[in-house]
Amino acid sequence: MNDWPEGWNDDNRGGNRYGQGSASDRPESARAMPHVQRPVPPQQPAPSQRRPAPPRQRQVPQQPGGYDEGPQYDSGYNTGQVYGGGNSGGRGGGQGGGPGDGGYVQGRPAAAPDWRRRIKIGALVLVVVVLGVSIGTYFWADSKLKRDVDLSKVIERPKAGDGTNYLIVGSDSREGMTAEDKKKLHTGSAEGKRTDSMMILHDGGDGPTLVSLPRDSNVEIPSFVGSESGKKYEGKGRTTKLNAAYAEDGPELLVRTVEFNTGLHIDHYVEIGFGGFAQIVDAIGGVELDIPKAFKDKNSGADFKAGKQTLNGEQSLAFVRTRYAFAASDLDRTKNQQKFLAALANQTATASTILNPFKLYPTMGAGLDTLVVDKDMSLWDLGQMFFAMKGVTGGDGTSMNMPISGSAGGNLVWDKAKVKQLVEQLNNDEKVTVSSD
């Protein structure tokens, strides 16, 4: 195809192509080029009459969807987002890189874990587990309580005062003990059961108060209703040792006698026997005591040196039962009982016991299996009593014997004036100022 105007060819240019030079040794002279005017097509109007063309609008290609609503214009600038799956072919090619396949296939970053949500779920699961275990433990322990004492059978009761009063009794019951246990613990083989120690624990707003009632206290047996027969027995002014009331008709008559002779309302009754007492001590690994003076007693099996020492179940039972080794006999024994029970409560109500199931469950099992309580006693009430006992040794706690004024027929006689003042302070939940001296 000839690109030159009509009538022109290479020969018209001298036979040589432009730029190839000439065979002559002289420079080639200038040539005159004819002017060629291209005709204007008749259908085209003159340039001055043409209407300006409308501005061309750039057609925007459809953008990939899935991240923003509606089509978006791609400015062409790099946003840092990676298209395609490992192919450097750009937006238009490669594996998964085209605009039609949705983009962000393999290059999309993984979402960061929501740690706050995970922590909340973990905490919720932990709370549910703890609540489940706690509720299960509560009902397990509550089912072990022996609610054999019916305080509704107690007649002519004094008015209840402020605070809560517990009558805590240690009996010489040998129930469940083998012959070997009786020999080991020096309990003897007497049938039935008698009270070996009695205490009133008052739990109030002004601190707990623990008052020991000597078993040889001289008291009057009032009229009462038999716990088994339901028959009423009129009081005849008969006086005897306090522990005889328990031997005569059990816990209900003991409560009736204490209330009659003190004027103090008893809210709850708690009793534990020899075997259970020793089991609790062994379950917590013993009780540490500071014994100021060495003593021995062949009746109880006691043989203690002075100083700090850890007592096991057998030694603990001997410690709280010993009375013949002391000059004041039963009065000194009650002081040792108070000292021991406070130490027992202090060493049991600790995080190392409560939070350790290998110590908590054996301790609860040993204690609850041998406890006898009143029908209205709940596990919560028992816990309140336990912590009040622990508080006896605290700064606000008070421990004392029932004030004694003398003796009659070998029995200890209470100081009526001091007893009245003591009961008034307990009923009004006031700080106890009465002494047992």
Side-chain angles (χ1 to χ4, degrees):
M1 178 179 179
N2 193 345
D3 294 332
W4 292 98
E6 184 178 355
W8 286 78
N9 54 32
D10 290 339
D11 294 336
N12 297 121
R13 298 188 295 123
N16 293 317
R17 291 182 179 270
Y18 181 78
Q20 292 181 351
S22 173
S24 174
D25 55 356
R26 297 185 63 183
E28 197 174 328
S29 61
R31 296 178 182 179
M33 299 293 292
H35 176 72
V36 179
Q37 184 175 358
R38 294 174 178 264
V40 178
Q43 69 272 14
Q44 296 291 335
S48 59
Q49 297 179 354
R50 293 179 185 172
R51 292 182 180 179
R56 294 181 60 187
Q57 294 186 2
R58 183 178 179 182
Q59 185 176 2
V60 181
Q62 183 178 1
Q63 300 297 308
Y67 296 96
D68 294 308
E69 294 182 0
Q72 296 182 355
Y73 174 68
D74 185 358
S75 65
Y77 290 101
N78 189 353
T79 62
Q81 297 168 334
V82 179
Y83 290 80
N87 191 334
S88 59
R91 296 180 55 194
Q95 297 176 356
D101 60 8
Y104 298 113
V105 176
Q106 297 181 8
R108 182 180 181 181
D114 190 348
W115 288 109
R116 184 176 299 178
R117 181 171 178 270
R118 293 185 180 184
I119 292 174
K120 287 182 179 179
I121 294 175
L124 180 61
V125 171
L126 180 61
V127 169
V128 171
V129 171
V130 170
L131 284 177
V133 172
S134 300
I135 293 172
T137 300
Y138 181 90
F139 284 104
W140 167 78
D142 188 73
S143 66
K144 285 183 169 291
L145 289 177
K146 297 179 180 179
R147 297 181 173 89
D148 298 337
V149 180
D150 189 357
L151 295 183
S152 66
K153 297 179 180 179
V154 181
I155 62 173
E156 301 174 12
R157 308 190 68 184
K159 182 180 178 180
D162 296 330
T164 305
N165 298 315
Y166 302 87
L167 180 59
I168 304 173
V169 175
S171 76
D172 64 359
S173 172
R174 292 133 176 105
E175 183 180 355
M177 296 175 64
T178 64
E180 183 179 352
D181 292 334
K182 295 175 184 178
K183 182 179 179 180
K184 178 181 178 182
L185 299 176
H186 301 272
T187 63
S189 300
E191 295 298 329
K193 60 181 181 178
R194 288 162 294 278
T195 54
D196 201 63
S197 61
M198 291 161 283
M199 303 177 187
I200 294 174
L201 175 64
H202 174 81
D203 185 19
D206 210 357
T209 301
L210 184 64
V211 182
S212 288
L213 310 176
R215 57 181 285 178
D216 294 337
S217 297
N218 193 68
V219 295
E220 179 181 344
I221 301 297
S223 58
F224 67 96
V225 173
S227 58
E228 297 295 335
S229 65
K231 179 181 177 181
K232 184 174 182 180
Y233 299 89
E234 296 294 339
K236 300 179 180 180
R238 174 170 57 98
T239 60
T240 185
K241 293 181 179 181
L242 181 59
N243 66 338
Y246 181 92
E248 187 172 337
D249 198 51
E252 288 85 0
L253 180 56
L254 178 62
V255 171
R256 167 70 175 138
T257 303
V258 170
E259 289 186 341
F260 178 82
N261 285 270
T262 63
L264 190 67
H265 182 88
I266 300 299
D267 298 289
H268 292 294
Y269 177 91
V270 180
E271 177 188 326
I272 187 169
F274 282 163
F277 182 83
Q279 290 173 18
I280 292 175
V281 175
D282 286 335
I284 66 169
V287 174
E288 185 180 64
L289 275 183
D290 187 1
I291 300 176
K293 186 178 179 179
F295 65 89
K296 287 185 179 183
D297 180 20
K298 65 178 182 179
N299 293 291
S300 65
D303 186 3
F304 297 103
K305 297 179 180 180
K308 287 187 178 181
Q309 50 204 289
T310 300
L311 279 58
N312 60 24
E314 177 185 348
Q315 294 170 324
S316 299
L317 188 57
F319 180 83
V320 299
R321 294 184 62 219
T322 298
R323 62 172 176 162
Y324 295 110
F326 308 123
S329 188
D330 206 31
L331 291 178
D332 283 340
R333 179 173 71 161
T334 56
K335 292 179 181 178
N336 281 343
Q337 290 171 347
Q338 292 177 349
K339 180 179 181 179
F340 181 86
L341 289 178
L344 174 64
N346 268 316
Q347 295 176 40
T348 304
T350 60
S352 62
T353 298
I354 296 175
L355 300 180
N356 184 353
F358 298 101
K359 291 185 68 175
L360 177 63
Y361 285 93
T363 301
M364 294 181 68
L368 297 175
D369 278 340
T370 57
L371 281 180
V372 177
V373 300
D374 64 271
K375 293 184 179 299
D376 294 326
M377 185 82 160
S378 68
L379 197 62
W380 174 261
D381 294 324
L382 189 63
Q384 291 290 97
M385 183 202 78
F386 189 80
F387 281 96
M389 180 71 75
K390 179 180 179 181
V392 169
T393 57
D396 296 331
T398 302
S399 60
M400 59 183 292
N401 279 322
M402 186 65 78
I404 304 297
S405 61
S407 62
N411 297 338
L412 299 173
V413 178
W414 294 352
D415 188 324
K416 292 184 179 180
K418 286 188 174 182
V419 170
K420 181 179 179 180
Q421 183 183 1
L422 172 63
V423 171
E424 286 178 354
Q425 291 177 343
L426 294 178
N427 276 331
N428 295 327
D429 205 10
E430 300 172 350
K431 184 68 177 178
V432 173
T433 60
V434 179
S435 68
S436 56
D437 298 333

